[in-house]
Amino acid sequence: MRIRPGYARSSGGRRACDHGAVSDEQAEKTNKARALRPDNAEFKTWIGSQWAEPDDLETTAAASAPFAAERRARLSAAFPGKRIVVPAGDLKVRSNDTDYRFSPDRDFAYLTGLGTDREPGAVLVLEPTADGHDATLYLIPPAGKDDDGFYTDPRSGEFWIGRRPGLDEFAAMTGIATAPLSTLPEGIRLHSQPTKAVRRVLSEMRLVKDVWEVQQLREAVDATIAGFERVVGELPRAIAHKRGERVVEATFDGHAREEGNAVGYETIAASGAHATTLHWITNDGQVREGDLLLLDAGVEVESLYTADITRTMPVTGEFSEVQRRVYQVVLEAADAAFAVARPGVTFRDVHEAAMDVIEAHLTEWGIVPEAENEESKLFRRWMVHSTSHHLGLDVHDCAAAKRELYMDGPLQPGMVFTIEPGLYFKADDLAVPAELRGIGVRIEDDVLVTEDGVENLSAALPRDPGAVEAWMARHRRA
């Protein structure tokens, strides 16, 4: 559906409505048919009576609120005179009448300061005024004790999903005026298509993190490092299991739920030749002694900011000679990227510094054929991805930003990104010696640009091969 002139809109949430799902009316009929509960006035009166008042009312502003307000002001300045509509997104059916766990649209989270999963269906509207915009947060109010939905609605009833904050509480937390979703004007409700302009501006705003965001990312990184330590402790169990990669995945993912909100992306627990598949998330393989384990994982904290760290570790605690040789090249490439990263240089500069090291060593090994065109960069057969990406509310943050501000824009203090070179020699790659086949190595750290350089936020997780071996020895269980 087209948007009328004068409107701007962000994308819907990542849990957007599933158009193949049953309607709310159909779901309600099904629920009533199966519930077998009394449906008369006496029961309704009884079930709605004798409840204590909640003792956990949200009455103070969230720590994120002033930062979110400043972001809304910046967005307002970019779209004078235009209504801006940013939905959180809706629940999505997983199977029949069960939903996926809700996760709000990240632009919505950025502009409201709300994380976790409390506001499915919510819509933030910035209404233009003479001197900017007025913000209203439209929400589904929780059903009161005297409302049937209190015990009949499996999507929002307190009996089913627990207590939800009310409109006044959301207003206190966010500093944004609130209103029932039912009062959202139909003309706004029908505008369901995003505009690229809003997405782009928000992506570009998110390139530089404020101090609150940096703290969230620090917490995500620290929790992730602790998760890697737990995985090392479970390696003996992983080795003994027929699907040891699942043991690794379950260990880290369980830690992420205990210490944060969830994982920031599907955990890559790739052992042996699986480590040469860049996004191996099937994780159904064995973890064998003598192999390398590539673990690419990140804890997403309650604010929805996520870490993204990779370490490649020898399953038995010690690198073989050839594994160490490959690992050392990747580490040298990462160190070269760190050496050039500072305000004023570009993502491209950081990438090229790493690639120069990779190219030099692979050429020295004699496996890179002569190229007719030097731009062919044939050595990239063994590292096809880029060295860096921005990090924040999304693991690949700021994806809609213009290329000249992302890959070719200068690094600025407050930017957070990854440095993650790798080498991947697939098991069936006849272009390399047999001893290299099946070895995959990636080293990934999360980096904050400072006024005069960069800070490795994940430096507490060892990178040097000897230090990795010593770290594993400390955390491994017998």
Side-chain angles (χ1 to χ4, degrees), residues 164-477:
R164 295 173 55 242
L167 299 188
D168 290 343
E169 292 178 86
F170 274 111
M173 286 188 285
T174 64
I176 304 172
T178 59
L181 184 62
S182 60
T183 67
L184 180 67
E186 190 65 23
I188 297 176
R189 189 189 300 273
L190 292 175
H191 293 287
S192 58
Q193 293 296 325
T195 69
K196 291 183 179 179
V198 175
R199 291 284 286 171
R200 189 189 71 244
V201 168
L202 286 170
S203 274
E204 291 168 2
M205 285 172 54
R206 286 164 55 179
L207 286 168
V208 176
K209 272 58 181 177
D210 56 42
V211 294
W212 183 83
E213 291 180 286
V214 171
Q215 181 57 36
Q216 298 306 301
L217 286 163
R218 288 186 187 279
E219 292 175 11
V221 167
D222 290 347
T224 300
I225 291 172
F228 274 65
E229 293 170 351
R230 287 177 70 166
V231 165
V232 173
E234 294 296 325
L235 281 179
R237 188 165 71 89
I239 293 170
H241 199 281
K242 64 182 179 181
R243 294 198 296 183
E245 291 176 342
R246 291 282 171 91
V247 174
V248 172
E249 175 190 351
T251 299
F252 187 88
D253 289 14
H255 171 83
R257 283 294 286 165
E258 291 175 21
E259 304 300 328
N261 182 53
V263 291
Y265 53 96
E266 294 294 331
T267 296
I268 298 169
S271 184
H274 287 164
T276 67
T277 299
L278 300 183
H279 285 173
W280 175 258
I281 59 172
T282 306
N283 299 339
D284 62 352
Q286 290 184 272
V287 174
R288 296 183 174 90
E289 294 185 359
D291 282 346
L292 294 176
L293 172 68
L294 188 157
L295 178 60
D296 185 335
V299 172
E300 174 189 273
V301 292
E302 297 291 328
S303 60
L304 305 180
Y305 286 80
T306 183
D308 180 9
I309 300 174
T310 307
R311 287 295 184 268
T312 306
M313 58 195 84
V315 171
T316 50
E318 294 185 0
F319 291 96
S320 71
E321 184 279 328
V322 66
Q323 289 170 348
R324 183 181 289 261
R325 177 154 50 98
V326 175
Y327 186 97
Q328 199 69 53
V329 172
V330 176
L331 179 60
E332 185 180 330
D335 287 344
F338 270 100
V340 302
R342 60 186 180 276
V345 306
T346 69
F347 258 39
R348 190 180 300 278
D349 296 329
V350 174
H351 173 76
E352 291 299 335
M355 290 303 94
D356 287 346
V357 172
I358 297 287
E359 181 178 21
H361 281 284
L362 295 185
T363 300
E364 177 186 314
W365 291 356
I367 63 175
V368 182
E370 194 77 29
E372 296 180 6
N373 182 348
E374 64 178 15
E375 294 302 315
S376 298
K377 299 185 183 299
L378 301 182
F379 72 95
R380 292 294 302 277
R381 173 186 178 116
W382 298 289
M383 183 185 158
V384 297
H385 60 83
S386 297
T387 306
S388 300
H389 61 77
H390 281 274
L391 185 67
L393 280 166
D394 284 310
V395 65
H396 295 152
D397 210 27
C398 313
K402 293 191 293 290
R403 184 179 183 86
E404 55 265 32
L405 294 178
Y406 196 116
M407 287 302 299
D408 298 321
L411 297 182
Q412 302 175 50
M415 286 184 170
V416 179
F417 62 95
T418 65
I419 290 178
E420 52 175 312
L423 279 174
Y424 313 92
F425 302 107
K426 291 192 171 292
D428 58 352
D429 187 351
L430 301 182
V432 300
E435 65 178 0
L436 294 177
R437 296 173 196 162
I439 294 179
V441 173
R442 181 162 64 252
I443 304 171
E444 179 180 18
D445 286 286
D446 299 343
V447 178
L448 168 67
V449 183
T450 63
E451 293 295 332
D452 56 2
V454 294
E455 176 189 351
N456 183 358
L457 299 178
S458 47
L461 202 56
R463 301 163 70 247
D464 178 83
V468 169
E469 292 173 339
W471 168 75
M472 293 184 68
R474 288 196 305 272
H475 293 284
R476 188 180 182 119
R477 296 181 186 147

Side-chain angles (χ1 to χ4, degrees), residues 73-106:
R74 290 168 59 197
L75 184 64
S76 171
F79 294 95
K82 291 189 176 182
R83 177 184 289 146
I84 304 169
V85 183
V86 184
D90 294 305
L91 290 164
K92 182 177 180 180
V93 173
R94 183 180 187 273
S95 177
N96 193 23
D97 58 354
T98 61
D99 299 319
Y100 285 101
R101 181 179 288 116
F102 178 73
S103 187
D105 176 80
R106 293 319 193 241

Side-chain angles (χ1 to χ4, degrees), residues 5-27:
Y7 281 69
R9 185 180 178 94
S10 174
S11 69
R14 59 187 62 199
R15 297 302 190 203
C17 280
D18 183 343
H19 295 292
V22 296
S23 68
D24 288 343
E25 183 180 354
Q26 290 171 316

